[in-house]
């Protein structure tokens, strides 16, 4: 097919400047998280997708599954009760901001989820995670999220990431509470071994495979223990 639009290259500094985050005091994987949430400010695209190197596409997308009124849906996974209970005892240390540590003590994964839920005013009992690759974003929703966090306390995207470097949880919780385009369930089948990859049929609503052992263990070990 004829290529009608050439790729557009942009530096991370340009992204920071267009997002009013040019003074971001973080680097490496933390700055990558800021870039993901700031890219919408470039207005290069209404919707955009971030793809991991361990994503493998095997069939064409179905726009009816991925879009709602022209908006790219946000992917979510509802945590089973067993996973919620386990998260309460899973301690997160090191990269969490000292601001969130209780007198120097690390917080749990569950505490992180509660903090982000409360930040956006989400009082629902259910817990969702949004770290399901590929990551799907809508630029207009991100612009509204930026206004929300600025009005809440003059926060920037980098402020949130310095508190808890969990970019998709920040975006997903905002969308869940304030927007109307969340898709429950991923679009890539999560696998733990190449033997689980069957390109001829990844299953309904799946467009390929995500080979990620860490996330696989998190999702399946918790889900397998749930009896509800």
């Amino acid at each position: 097919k004829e290529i009608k639009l050439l790729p557009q290259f942009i530096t991370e500094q340009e992204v920071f400047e267009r997002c009013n985050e040019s003074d971001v005091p973080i680097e490496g994987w933390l700055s990558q998280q800021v870039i993901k949430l700031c890219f919408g400010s470039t207005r290069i695209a209404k919707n955009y997708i971030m793809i991991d190197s361990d994503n493998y596409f095997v069939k064409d997308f179905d726009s009816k599954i991925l879009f709602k009124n022209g908006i790219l849906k946000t992917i979510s996974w509802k945590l089973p009760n067993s996973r919620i209970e386990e998260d309460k005892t899973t301690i997160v240390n090191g990269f969490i901001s000292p601001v969130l540590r209780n007198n120097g003590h690390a917080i749990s994964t569950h505490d992180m989820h509660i903090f982000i839920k409360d930040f956006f005013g989400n009082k629902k009992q259910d817990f969702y995670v949004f770290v399901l690759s590929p990551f799907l974003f809508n630029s207009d929703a991100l612009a509204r999220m930026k206004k929300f966090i600025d009005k809440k306390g003059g926060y920037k995207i980098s402020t949130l990431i310095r508190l808890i470097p969990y970019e998709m949880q920040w975006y997903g919780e905002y969308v869940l509470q304030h927007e109307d385009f969340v898709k429950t369930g991923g679009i890539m089948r999560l696998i733990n071994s190449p033997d689980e990859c069957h390109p001829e049929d990844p299953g309904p609503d799946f467009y390929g495979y995500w080979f990620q052992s860490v996330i696989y263990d998190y999702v399946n070990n918790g889900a397998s223990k749930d009896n509800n």
Side-chain angles (χ1 to χ4, degrees), residues 75-130:
I75 299 173
S76 68
W77 177 62
K78 183 178 178 180
L79 288 178
N81 291 339
S82 60
R83 183 73 260 177
I84 294 173
E85 291 303 312
E86 188 170 331
D87 282 348
K88 291 179 181 179
T89 59
T90 302
I91 301 302
V92 181
N93 208 341
F95 59 80
I96 299 299
S97 169
V99 176
L100 295 185
R101 295 180 192 157
N102 182 17
N103 296 322
H105 298 289
I107 64 175
S108 70
T109 302
H110 185 69
D111 292 331
M112 290 197 316
H113 289 159
I114 289 179
F115 183 90
I116 297 176
K117 277 167 60 81
D118 289 347
F119 184 91
F120 290 117
N122 188 349
K123 302 302 182 183
K124 299 176 182 178
Q125 295 298 313
D126 295 334
F127 284 80
Y128 291 84
V129 291
F130 304 89

Side-chain angles (χ1 to χ4, degrees), residues 126-185:
D126 295 334
F127 284 80
Y128 291 84
V129 291
F130 304 89
V131 189
L132 296 172
S133 187
F135 306 133
L136 312 179
F137 299 92
N138 175 260
S139 296
D140 291 335
L142 279 163
R144 291 189 287 271
M145 174 179 159
K146 284 190 61 181
K147 289 181 179 179
F148 178 95
I149 65 176
D150 179 64
K151 184 177 180 181
K152 188 174 179 71
Y155 296 109
K156 292 185 176 183
I157 297 296
S158 56
T159 312
L160 304 187
I161 299 303
R162 283 199 300 270
L163 285 172
I164 298 178
Y166 208 175
E167 80 279 37
M168 284 308 300
Q169 199 67 21
W170 287 110
Y171 176 67
E173 281 291 353
Y174 169 77
V175 170
L176 183 66
Q177 183 66 12
H178 299 278
E179 306 284 348
D180 185 31
F181 44 88
V182 171
K183 177 188 184 304
T184 302

